[in-house]
Amino acid sequence: MATTPATAYEAECILSAAAAQAGLPETVLAAAMREALRGAPVPARAERALREAVQASRIQGTAFQVSGPYLLPLRTDAEKAVGRFFEARLRLTAAPADPEARRAFEDVLFTLCVLMGRPSAPQALHEAIQYTES
């Protein structure tokens, strides 16, 4: 779900739809997703329901889309941010339980979102990489 750009309202709708389809309370599904970030397995029916709800939101076109002109950062700033992203990802992969590694990773994701003017980290990273390679 983290890879799907969505507003808070849309994310809540996706979560509600997935919980209803899996036959679970929303709080239970949200807790399972939070624990999945820590490496705990998500129940198969919940994972399947969430994947289907995310896919349905993409098909319906409810995902947040940004269009129009916007300012681009300096290419060197984007290159530095992308480099810090990969460093932080390696650090977090090496020590997933380290709160400093997680904080550094989240900070660089936020920086990329602000720098590229995108509401989601996957979009921001994709655009930053394309921007630095062009």
Side-chain angles (χ1 to χ4, degrees):
M1 188 162 152
T3 60
T4 302
T7 63
Y9 174 75
E10 290 168 340
E12 185 179 346
C13 290
I14 291 170
L15 182 69
S16 295
Q21 185 172 353
L24 297 169
E26 291 176 16
T27 55
V28 172
L29 182 57
M33 290 172 53
R34 186 178 60 245
E35 292 302 315
L37 293 173
R38 296 185 179 106
V42 177
R45 69 180 179 167
E47 187 175 355
R48 184 173 40 258
L50 188 59
R51 189 173 39 252
E52 290 172 3
V54 167
Q55 186 63 30
S57 76
R58 288 179 181 162
I59 291 171
Q60 293 170 1
T62 58
F64 187 79
Q65 303 273 332
V66 175
S67 62
Y70 55 92
L71 296 175
L72 290 173
L74 293 174
R75 194 173 307 276
T76 56
D77 290 343
E79 289 170 353
K80 287 177 187 176
V82 169
R84 283 194 310 266
F85 166 79
F86 287 112
E87 291 170 4
R89 187 175 74 169
L90 284 174
R91 183 176 166 201
L92 185 61
T93 303
D98 181 15
E100 287 297 317
R102 177 161 297 281
R103 191 172 300 114
F105 185 70
E106 290 172 353
D107 284 348
V108 76
L109 288 177
F110 179 77
T111 301
L112 277 169
C113 288
V114 171
L115 199 61
M116 299 309 294
R118 294 297 178 200
S120 72
Q123 268 185 330
L125 179 63
H126 178 72
E127 284 198 17
I129 291 172
Q130 282 186 331
Y131 179 57
T132 59
E133 290 177 349
S134 64

